[in-house]
Amino acid sequence: MKKVALLLTALVLILASAFVVFAGEYSIYDHTWNSDYGKGRLSIEWEKCDWPTKYKVVVHRKGLNSSRQDVGTKVFSKTVSGKKIDVTALIWQKGTGVYTYAITPVSSPSPLDDMVVGDEFEADAGFVDRVRMQSVNPDNPGSLTNVRWVKTPTGWAYEEGGQRVTSAWRMVDGFWYYFNGNGDMLTGWQWIGSRCYYLNPVENAGGYPLGACWMNRTTPDGYQVNSSGEWVVNGVPQTR
């Protein structure tokens, strides 16, 4: 009987140790936001677990509190198998705000214990402007087909796949243009988001087509714009 008891005790200890090791293999380390202001991109990255699994990534606007209770709005949820997910399209669509994420190993026996919650990321107006200017279409970054300029009673519009581009920047033949909520191409000085841009109001002025955004030069009325087209004073982008 004593031998049986010792064997049972040893077996329990072995199983307990195996469970601890097994559970530990689902730990997620070094998770973080990765923002690239210059390219207007945002992603979430982490180190993969030792144990093969997929990961459920949830993004909240306003975030989770310390007790992991939802105090904001869930704006994104996706299950992936890698260790990175690009959320640029989310910022493109939702705009400014404070965001946080939660990553959960799908196969974990204790998903709540193994879930990690990221720090807050504040997408301010400048970053959102940059995202919308640099990323033609984060959901479909490949070449677009069936695109064309359309003459309208009020000026010009631009269509992609039969749909007018609205409230967005587009690069066409190497020049940036902005289209308002009605799809009209804007011209002249325009506040777009928090920054001001000079969109060529006269065909071929300064070598720019009508509506193209001037960049890294002095406008005809004497103002300076930087390499992103933003009006600057002493190199500092002006905001409203």
Side-chain angles (χ1 to χ4, degrees), residues 133 169 175-178 197-200 208-209 211-215 225 228-230:
M133 192 172 193
W169 290 94
F175 295 97
W176 284 102
Y177 301 83
Y178 189 82
Y197 303 86
Y198 185 72
L199 309 177
N200 199 25
Y208 284 83
C213 182
W214 282 46
M215 296 183 175
V225 292
S228 297
E230 302 162 337

Side-chain angles (χ1 to χ4, degrees), residues 188-210:
W189 282 106
Q190 299 287 341
W191 284 100
I192 301 171
S194 65
R195 308 297 171 92
C196 195
Y197 303 86
Y198 185 72
L199 309 177
N200 199 25
V202 181
E203 181 68 39
N204 291 326
Y208 284 83
L210 179 68

Side-chain angles (χ1 to χ4, degrees), residues 49-113:
C49 301
D50 296 331
W51 199 261
T53 184
K54 292 184 177 181
Y55 306 88
K56 182 179 181 181
V57 181
V58 177
V59 178
H60 285 74
R61 201 174 184 196
K62 296 297 183 185
L64 305 176
N65 64 15
S66 59
S67 299
R68 300 183 178 186
Q69 296 172 326
D70 182 4
V71 293
T73 303
K74 183 168 71 174
V75 291
F76 179 87
S77 180
K78 189 173 184 178
T79 299
V80 297
S81 57
K83 58 179 183 179
K84 175 181 179 179
I85 187 166
D86 192 303
V87 291
T88 305
L90 174 65
I91 304 301
W92 173 287
Q93 296 160 0
K94 300 299 182 180
T96 59
V98 176
Y99 296 83
T100 192
Y101 62 80
I103 309 172
T104 306
V106 174
S107 302
S108 170
S110 304
L112 185 60
D113 292 335

Side-chain angles (χ1 to χ4, degrees), residues 3-214:
K3 289 184 178 180
V4 173
L6 288 172
L7 287 173
L8 288 175
T9 301
L11 181 60
V12 168
L13 290 173
I14 291 171
L15 290 174
S17 299
F19 178 79
V20 170
V21 172
F22 181 75
E25 290 176 336
Y26 284 99
S27 299
I28 298 173
Y29 302 98
D30 298 327
H31 55 93
T32 186
W33 294 101
N34 186 359
S35 60
D36 187 328
Y37 184 88
K39 295 182 179 179
R41 309 296 299 184
L42 180 66
S43 61
I44 302 168
E45 301 180 8
W46 61 94
E47 287 299 318
K48 295 177 69 174
C49 301
D50 296 331
W51 199 261
T53 184
K54 292 184 177 181
Y55 306 88
K56 182 179 181 181
V57 181
V58 177
V59 178
H60 285 74
R61 201 174 184 196
K62 296 297 183 185
L64 305 176
N65 64 15
S66 59
S67 299
R68 300 183 178 186
Q69 296 172 326
D70 182 4
V71 293
T73 303
K74 183 168 71 174
V75 291
F76 179 87
S77 180
K78 189 173 184 178
T79 299
V80 297
S81 57
K83 58 179 183 179
K84 175 181 179 179
I85 187 166
D86 192 303
V87 291
T88 305
L90 174 65
I91 304 301
W92 173 287
Q93 296 160 0
K94 300 299 182 180
T96 59
V98 176
Y99 296 83
T100 192
Y101 62 80
I103 309 172
T104 306
V106 174
S107 302
S108 170
S110 304
L112 185 60
D113 292 335
D114 289 322
M115 181 179 74
V116 294
V117 177
D119 294 331
E120 291 183 343
F121 176 83
E122 182 176 0
D124 60 18
F127 183 72
V128 173
D129 287 349
R130 194 69 175 176
V131 166
R132 290 174 174 167
M133 192 172 193
Q134 296 296 328
S135 307
V136 173
N137 186 346
D139 289 322
N140 182 22
S143 298
L144 294 168
T145 58
N146 191 23
V147 296
R148 63 170 185 160
W149 286 100
V150 178
K151 188 72 177 72
T152 70
T154 55
W156 288 92
Y158 193 68
E159 290 186 352
E160 297 173 345
Q163 299 293 319
R164 282 194 185 185
V165 173
T166 60
S167 302
W169 290 94
R170 286 295 186 269
M171 178 181 274
V172 183
D173 297 328
F175 295 97
W176 284 102
Y177 301 83
Y178 189 82
F179 303 88
N180 67 14
N182 296 321
D184 298 318
M185 181 188 74
L186 300 185
T187 60
W189 282 106
Q190 299 287 341
W191 284 100
I192 301 171
S194 65
R195 308 297 171 92
C196 195
Y197 303 86
Y198 185 72
L199 309 177
N200 199 25
V202 181
E203 181 68 39
N204 291 326
Y208 284 83
L210 179 68
C213 182
W214 282 46

